[in-house]
């Protein structure tokens, strides 16, 4: 897929664990893991907004487009 998810990079920069982020934004750790691995087919804007708020970042810090 041409969309790269850099969520693990932002978590490392903020020194936050996946479990902590999942609790803050109100999703399961399993769903967060699917998103982190890039296997998610979609993401809700409300979830993206919550992630950006929790990590104090922009959507472009999390999602990146690369041509195949």
């Amino acid at each position: 897929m041409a969309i790269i998810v850099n969520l693990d990079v932002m978590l490392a920069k903020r020194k936050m664990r996946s479990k902590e982020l999942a609790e803050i934004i109100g999703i399961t750790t399993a769903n967060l893991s699917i998103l982190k691995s890039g296997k998610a087919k979609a993401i809700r804007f409300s979830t993206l907004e919550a992630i950006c708020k929790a990590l104090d970042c922009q959507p472009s810090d999390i999602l990146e487009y690369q041509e195949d």
Side-chain angles (χ1 to χ4, degrees):
M1 181 180 265
I3 302 295
I4 309 300
V5 180
N6 294 315
L7 187 53
D8 53 346
V9 174
M10 286 307 300
L11 283 168
K13 284 183 180 179
R14 300 300 189 250
K15 297 182 176 144
M16 185 182 291
R17 293 182 180 257
S18 296
K19 183 177 179 182
E20 184 181 353
L21 178 62
E23 290 173 2
I24 292 169
I25 65 174
I27 66 172
T28 65
T29 53
N31 283 340
L32 186 60
S33 178
I34 290 168
L35 181 59
K36 278 177 48 179
S37 69
K39 294 181 180 177
K41 299 292 181 195
I43 182 170
R44 293 176 188 236
F45 281 134
S46 59
T47 303
L48 184 59
E49 180 182 2
I51 291 170
C52 289
K53 185 176 180 180
L55 295 177
D56 189 29
C57 66
Q58 294 295 314
S60 61
D61 295 326
I62 298 168
L63 302 175
E64 176 184 349
Y65 172 76
Q66 289 184 355
E67 284 193 47
D68 288 337

